[in-house]
């Protein structure tokens, strides 16, 4: 396990644990350690971040490390603190306490290495798509040929070619989403912070964004990707960080996290159907079959999915 | 390093010029309305004052340059509303580059406004062409800077567009009229004459009138007061803009 992560308090270690801890025994007991090898090149290390807004503890000991080329799916219910964390990494807000290093330096110093795609559209309605890319490429230091090359590449990847000369205010929601993502990626950031970049997007837009993100990760870029649509994370082959009430309560590869969740067994006989969820699905199947009172017509064994992981966090995070 | 910062500033300036050019109605009206006002009030001031043309030209100039707080304020407030300021803050560009890039285009607008009104004053109203244009330029620069700083600071503290409009409309009327932009201070009731120096407009007007008349010594104190107000507000604006705002329950 990575040193930085060991330094972080495990969930529940410092009294800040929600009172409904019992219902989340599976998750809180999980190995939330980092899925990376110890020799990995760490791009982002966030340790014990705290941020309070009035009565709301938006971040409450948030820890996360991200390696070069890693895509991290940051999931969690509404209000878990995902956006607050990303804004902190982008040095837009400061933590009350805790520490972030990007490539070993302070986030303020490393701004050029980071590209943030905010959750809400943040674009100039009266400027065209091309003007956006020129502005944000330019303020991030891209000039002439290099800028044109990046613009051309993203225009193709994110299917912006047709709408390059149109003002953003008149674009459709999905077109604005693609522009929003392009602005975040234009300077080829080493660490990409994508906060629900596909919210409200149609399958085509979604796929375009995913393909570009996969490409950037394959080139060694690191990504933190928040979404409420979990199949995206499977497609991105992302490792998972589950946030809850301002901290990461589970961390690992999808497969490793799912190992700890029960599978579902369903058996149909006659007009009846019985279901059981169990860690040992074979045992459960045997039990269900032995209880069958008529000829069995259907058997389904379902492995746990990321959706199940999400659902196991059932309680809302609204604070 | 410095090359990068200059480049980022230039990019930001170009972008803001584009934005201003696409939304020009407000500033156009703030250039033509005072011209109309000058034409309307000229006979009145001529009869009421000796040196009436000076008041005819500088009064509306000061009044409408305070109204132009709204132009400055809007250019900052829209970046808050559109959440684009945060995107710029997250970029590699130094914060000073962003601030300068944001300020230069609106500052130019303010200078154009005042220059246009002075030229109109000389050409149409009959204001004698100032002997010392350098002093006039200094006055225009200083007053423009104070308006720029005030408008920017205002936009960083208001909570909504409504707040900004209220502040600029009310501010222009109060600062302008108390400062003597509508009725010359000499003709105001005695108690108001005492209160007039509390208005920045009073100092702006004194600065502009002394500059137009070529009275260098008379410019000194108003210039210092205007520069002081400008610097204080620029400090506030810079602090707020560099920190950003986070989420807001209005706007
Ligand atoms: N500036 C602020 N003022 C007050 N409360 C805030 C502020 N910023 C964040 N919060 C609160 O902090 C908590 C975490 O918010 P955050 O936006 O980080 O959640 P999230 O995980 O991104 O949720 P979602 O999935 O809905 O986007 C919420 O309860 C939110 O209301
Ligand atoms: Mg969010």
């Amino acid at each position: 396990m990575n040193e930085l992560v060991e330094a972080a308090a495990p969930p529940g270690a410092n009294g800040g644990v929600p009172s409904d801890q019992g219902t989340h025994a599976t998750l809180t007991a999980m190995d939330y350690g980092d899925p990376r090898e110890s020799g990995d090149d760490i791009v982002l290390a966030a340790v014990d971040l705290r941020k309070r807004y009035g009565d709301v503890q938006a971040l409450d000991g948030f820890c996360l490390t991200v390696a070069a080329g890693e895509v991290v799916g940051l999931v969690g219910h509404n209000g878990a603190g995902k956006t607050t964390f990303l804004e902190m990494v982008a040095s837009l807000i400061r933590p009350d306490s805790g520490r972030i290093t990007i490539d070993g330096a302070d986030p303020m110093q490393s701004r050029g290495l980071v590209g943030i795609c905010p959750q809400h559209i943040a674009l100039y309605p009266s400027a065209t798509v091309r003007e956006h890319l020129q502005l944000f490429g330019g303020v991030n230091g891209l000039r002439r040929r290099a800028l044109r090359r990046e613009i051309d590449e993203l225009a193709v990847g994110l299917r912006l070619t047709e709408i390059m000369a149109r003002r953003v205010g008149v674009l459709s929601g999905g077109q604005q989403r693609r522009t929003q993502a392009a602005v975040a990626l234009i300077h080829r950031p080493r660490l990409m912070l994508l906060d629900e970049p596909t919210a409200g997007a149609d399958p085509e837009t979604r796929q375009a964004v995913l393909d570009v993100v996969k490409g950037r990760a394959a080139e060694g870029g690191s990504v933190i990707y928040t979404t409420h649509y979990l199949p995206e994370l499977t497609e991105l082959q992302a490792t998972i960080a589950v946030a809850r009430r301002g901290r990461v309560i589970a961390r690992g590869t999808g497969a490793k996290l799912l190992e700890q969740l029960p599978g579902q067994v369903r058996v149909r006989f006659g007009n009846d159907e019985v279901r059981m969820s169990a860690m040992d699905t074979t045992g459960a199947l045997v039990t269900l079959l032995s209880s069958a009172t008529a000829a069995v017509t259907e058997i389904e064994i379902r492995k746990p999915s990321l959706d199940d992981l999400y659902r196991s966090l059932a309680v809302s995070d609204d604070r | 390093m410095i090359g990068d910062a200059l480049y980022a500033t230039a990019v930001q300036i170009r972008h803001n010029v584009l934005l201003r050019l696409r939304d020009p109605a407000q500033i156009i009206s703030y250039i033509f309305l005072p011209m109309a006002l000058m034409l309307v009030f000229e006979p009145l001031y001529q009869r009421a004052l000796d040196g009436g043309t000076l008041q005819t030209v500088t009064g509306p100039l000061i009044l409408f340059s305070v109204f132009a707080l709204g132009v400055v304020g809007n250019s900052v407030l829209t970046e808050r509303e559109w959440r684009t300021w945060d995107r710029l803050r997250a970029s590699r560009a130094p914060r000073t580059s962003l601030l300068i890039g944001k300020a230069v285009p609106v500052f130019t607008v303010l200078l154009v406004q005042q220059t246009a009104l002075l030229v109109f004053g000389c050409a149409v109203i009959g204001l004698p062409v100032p002997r010392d244009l350098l002093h006039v330029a200094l006055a225009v620069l200083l007053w423009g800077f104070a308006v720029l700083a005030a408008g920017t600071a205002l936009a960083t503290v208001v909570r909504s567009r409504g707040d900004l409009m209220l502040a600029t409309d009310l501010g222009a009327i109060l600062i302008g009229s108390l400062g003597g932009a509508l009725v010359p201070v000499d003709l105001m009731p005695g108690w108001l004459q005492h209160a007039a120096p509390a208005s920045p407009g009073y100092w702006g007007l004194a600065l502009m009138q002394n500059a137009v008349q070529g009275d260098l010594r008379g410019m000194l104190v108003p210039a210092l007061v205007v520069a002081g107000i400008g610097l204080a507000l620029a400090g506030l604006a810079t602090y707020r803009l560099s920190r950003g705002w986070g989420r807001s329950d209005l706007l």
Side-chain angles (χ1 to χ4, degrees):
Chain A
M1 196 190 261
N2 184 281
E3 241 180 52
L4 280 167
V5 173
E6 270 181 345
N14 45 11
V17 173
S19 54
D20 54 359
Q21 187 188 7
T23 56
H24 296 279
T26 351
L27 271 176
T28 48
M30 264 182 195
D31 173 11
Y32 66 103
D34 274 280
R36 275 166 287 94
E37 319 275 309
S38 56
D40 278 350
D41 182 12
I42 301 294
V43 172
L44 171 77
V47 183
D48 201 22
L49 298 174
R50 285 163 204 278
K51 181 79 181 176
R52 194 174 187 84
Y53 291 107
D55 295 340
V56 179
Q57 189 72 43
L59 294 188
D60 189 14
F62 197 106
C63 299
L64 186 69
T65 53
V66 181
E70 182 180 7
V71 180
V72 179
L74 178 57
V75 300
H77 286 295
N78 296 139
K82 304 179 294 294
T83 298
T84 305
F85 169 67
L86 295 184
E87 287 173 341
M88 232 169 239
V89 176
S91 75
L92 293 174
I93 52 177
R94 280 167 203 253
D96 297 336
S97 65
R99 190 166 51 86
I100 298 177
T101 50
I102 299 169
D103 243 5
D106 182 78
M108 238 351 233
Q109 262 76 59
S110 318
R111 276 174 301 164
L113 302 179
V114 177
I116 184 167
C117 177
Q119 179 170 5
H120 299 286
I121 295 293
L123 301 167
Y124 298 91
S126 58
T128 66
V129 174
R130 182 180 299 281
E131 285 160 0
H132 275 87
L133 298 179
Q134 286 170 335
L135 170 69
F136 286 98
V139 293
N140 279 299
L142 283 182
R143 302 188 189 200
R144 297 187 187 89
R145 287 248 302 277
L147 178 59
R148 268 203 302 277
R149 201 177 51 233
E150 296 296 336
I151 291 179
D152 290 345
E153 187 189 313
L154 279 175
V156 173
L158 289 170
R159 309 196 182 145
L160 299 170
T161 318
E162 305 283 307
I163 56 169
M164 222 48 179
R166 298 183 61 190
R167 298 202 183 159
V168 163
V170 299
L171 296 181
S172 78
Q175 292 168 333
Q176 291 186 352
R177 277 282 159 206
R178 300 203 299 265
T179 310
Q180 166 103 330
V183 166
L185 303 178
I186 184 71
H187 57 296
R188 231 164 247 284
R190 216 160 148 218
L191 175 61
M192 293 158 266
L193 311 172
L194 308 179
D195 200 352
E196 302 190 28
T198 54
D202 70 6
E204 215 172 301
T205 291
R206 183 182 298 279
Q207 197 56 49
V209 171
L210 290 176
D211 287 345
V212 170
V213 172
K214 273 192 287 189
R216 292 293 169 96
E219 291 167 8
S222 306
V223 181
I224 305 179
Y225 191 103
T226 79
T227 182
H228 295 289
Y229 185 64
L230 302 177
E232 291 185 337
L233 299 181
T234 314
E235 164 132 24
L236 289 170
Q237 298 183 316
T239 62
I240 310 287
V242 183
R244 184 151 198 288
R245 301 199 170 212
R247 61 173 57 179
V248 172
I249 56 162
R251 178 84 171 95
T253 59
K256 186 156 182 195
L257 292 180
L258 297 182
E259 258 171 26
Q260 335 236 349
L261 286 181
Q264 307 291 326
V265 182
R266 183 172 65 88
V267 174
R268 177 176 266 283
F269 44 88
N271 287 329
D272 289 326
E273 184 178 283
V274 285
R275 292 162 183 268
M276 200 168 172
S277 77
M279 298 302 295
D280 170 16
T281 43
T282 319
L285 181 61
V286 171
T287 313
L288 290 183
L289 287 177
S290 63
S291 70
T293 50
V296 172
T297 54
E298 206 178 317
I299 294 174
E300 184 188 35
I301 299 177
R302 199 165 61 76
K303 287 197 286 186
S305 67
L306 283 176
D307 275 321
D308 297 322
L309 176 67
Y310 211 62
R311 266 195 290 274
S312 71
L313 300 165
V315 179
S316 152
D317 256 356
D318 286 335
R319 286 166 286 169
Chain B
M1 245 343 245
I2 291 185
D4 282 354
L6 284 178
Y7 179 71
T9 311
V11 169
Q12 167 83 337
I13 288 177
R14 190 186 64 174
H15 180 71
N16 278 280
V17 167
L18 266 177
L19 296 181
R20 294 286 76 70
L21 289 177
R22 281 177 192 168
D23 187 15
Q26 202 179 12
I27 187 61
I28 290 178
S29 71
Y30 289 167
I31 292 178
F32 287 104
L33 276 178
M35 289 181 180
L37 221 58
M38 287 182 200
L39 289 172
V40 171
F41 277 106
E42 199 244 351
L44 179 72
Y45 286 135
Q46 287 289 15
R47 225 168 283 174
L49 304 161
D50 43 317
T53 48
L54 184 64
Q55 177 70 28
T56 308
V57 175
T58 53
L61 184 152
I62 293 298
L63 182 65
F64 277 83
S65 55
V66 183
F67 270 120
L69 281 177
V71 177
V72 181
N74 262 330
S75 87
V76 175
L77 198 67
T78 46
E79 298 254 11
R80 280 178 67 185
E81 285 174 335
W82 297 335
R83 306 171 203 269
T84 41
W85 188 250
D86 267 352
R87 274 199 121 153
L88 290 170
R89 282 174 63 231
S91 78
R92 195 180 87 165
R95 304 257 154 111
T96 37
S97 288
L98 298 177
L99 288 167
I100 294 172
K102 187 85 210 150
V104 166
V106 267
F107 188 51
T108 311
V109 164
L110 296 175
L111 300 187
V112 166
Q113 180 200 28
Q114 293 183 48
T115 310
L117 293 178
L118 284 171
V119 169
F120 180 82
C122 294
V124 179
I125 304 296
L127 182 73
V129 177
R131 266 168 298 139
D132 197 342
L133 288 178
L134 220 60
H135 291 147
V136 178
L138 182 70
V140 167
L141 283 171
L142 274 179
W143 181 243
F145 169 65
V147 172
L148 173 73
T152 310
L154 202 58
T156 65
V157 293
V158 294
R159 297 175 316 144
S160 70
R161 192 166 281 273
D163 277 7
L164 179 70
M165 275 167 59
L166 181 76
T168 55
D169 289 355
L170 213 65
I173 298 295
L174 281 178
I175 291 174
S177 53
L178 183 61
L182 285 173
V183 178
V185 175
D186 294 346
L187 301 184
M188 286 182 186
W191 62 275
L192 261 186
Q193 289 189 22
H194 288 298
S199 160
Y202 173 88
W203 300 102
L205 195 64
L207 177 65
M208 204 58 72
Q209 294 189 341
N210 285 320
V212 170
Q213 288 177 313
D215 178 358
L216 187 56
R217 292 204 24 196
M219 277 178 72
L220 187 65
V221 175
L224 287 176
V225 174
V226 168
I229 293 172
L231 283 175
L233 292 172
L236 171 67
T238 307
Y239 172 74
R240 298 276 305 193
L241 280 170
S242 320
R243 277 177 53 107
W245 296 270
R247 298 173 199 184
S248 166
D249 52 358
L250 270 175
L251 280 178

